[in-house]
Amino acid sequence: MAWTEHTSSSGRPFFYNPATGASVWERPAGISEARVFSRDTPPTLRACMATDRRVRALAGAIVRRCGVDALPRVQAAGADTSLCADGRGGAFCCESNRIFLCASTAWVSCRGLAYELSHAYNTCTHVTRCAHGGIQVDDASCGYLSPPDLACSELRAAYWTERWAGRAERDEARCLKWHAAWALRACYPSDEHHPAHVRHAVQECTPRGADANLTRGGGGD
């Protein structure tokens, strides 16, 4: 997880690591400028491609499979916007092809960007289908994923960004299901078929073949 930069009540900048809970005044040793992001300035795609294997792998896969124009634009979103409601850390607008990263300490990172890039990859390769409509963001339709497609994309995003990291390997499947179910509860609270959607995602959407090792390997924040 990347360090994030903040400003104290006295106006002095400090650095915080959400993975360890550490806060320091001086820039951490060995942390380059590209790896430090503020709450109001999300990581750029270029900076994260230079430092995070997951972003590099997913962006490369999008370009190879769908073309460079399929790479989404990345921008910040205020914590008070509907995109960031209910604890969401980011959002991918599939119709306008934009990624929004919320002003949340735990998500202003390359790993958060990789999570949203996963959705872009799933959409451009037609693993999931983007429906027209959804909320309006900057006068453009965001588009949306149906419940089955949402469960599918969330499970794949959790897989590629290794959300179970630090837990026992046997917890991988449980963690992937949890992320799919959480997204369904947040986006479709009245849908009565959450368990069925999650089962379908596990059976049909778990990465296989080349996709299974898309982001696996050393490095990354």
Side-chain angles (χ1 to χ4, degrees):
M1 182 73 73
W3 289 83
T4 54
E5 186 173 1
H6 308 271
T7 303
S8 69
S9 57
S10 64
R12 181 180 176 185
F14 68 95
F15 301 91
Y16 171 72
N17 189 321
T20 64
S23 296
V24 296
W25 292 114
E26 302 299 325
R27 182 181 300 278
I31 302 298
S32 68
E33 195 72 32
R35 292 172 66 89
V36 181
F37 312 112
S38 72
R39 289 172 62 90
D40 300 319
T41 305
T44 66
L45 184 59
R46 177 176 295 182
C48 286
M49 285 183 68
T51 61
D52 193 289
R53 60 177 165 79
R54 295 165 292 225
V55 172
R56 191 160 50 247
L58 286 159
I62 290 171
V63 172
R64 286 194 305 274
R65 297 284 301 276
C66 309
V68 68
D69 290 340
L71 280 175
R73 189 172 123 201
V74 181
Q75 62 190 88
D80 58 343
T81 67
S82 57
L83 289 173
C84 301
D86 300 321
R88 298 185 186 97
F92 170 61
C93 284
C94 58
E95 191 162 9
S96 60
N97 198 31
R98 286 186 291 175
I99 286 174
F100 294 89
L101 297 180
C102 302
S104 167
T105 298
W107 276 81
V108 181
S109 69
C110 290
R111 191 182 190 187
L113 175 55
Y115 200 91
E116 301 307 327
L117 277 174
S118 300
H119 298 312
Y121 178 69
N122 293 331
T123 300
C124 86
T125 55
H126 306 295
V127 172
T128 55
R129 295 155 294 182
C130 181
H132 172 71
I135 64 174
Q136 292 284 310
V137 182
D138 297 339
D139 298 322
S141 172
C142 187
Y144 66 95
L145 301 179
S146 68
D149 281 337
L150 178 65
C152 176
S153 198
E154 288 286 331
L155 181 141
R156 289 164 70 85
Y159 177 94
W160 285 321
T161 55
E162 301 162 302
R163 287 293 168 185
W164 67 91
R167 301 179 178 90
E169 188 174 346
R170 65 178 179 273
D171 290 336
E172 176 179 343
R174 184 185 306 169
C175 184
L176 299 182
K177 292 181 197 178
W178 185 91
H179 279 278
W182 185 92
L184 288 169
R185 289 194 300 270
C187 298
Y188 293 99
S190 61
D191 190 296
E192 299 177 352
H193 306 290
H194 290 178
H197 298 322
V198 173
R199 286 195 300 271
H200 172 81
V202 171
Q203 294 170 2
E204 302 296 331
C205 300
T206 300
R208 297 178 177 87
D211 278 353
N213 296 311
L214 183 60
T215 61
R216 304 290 172 110
D221 61 357

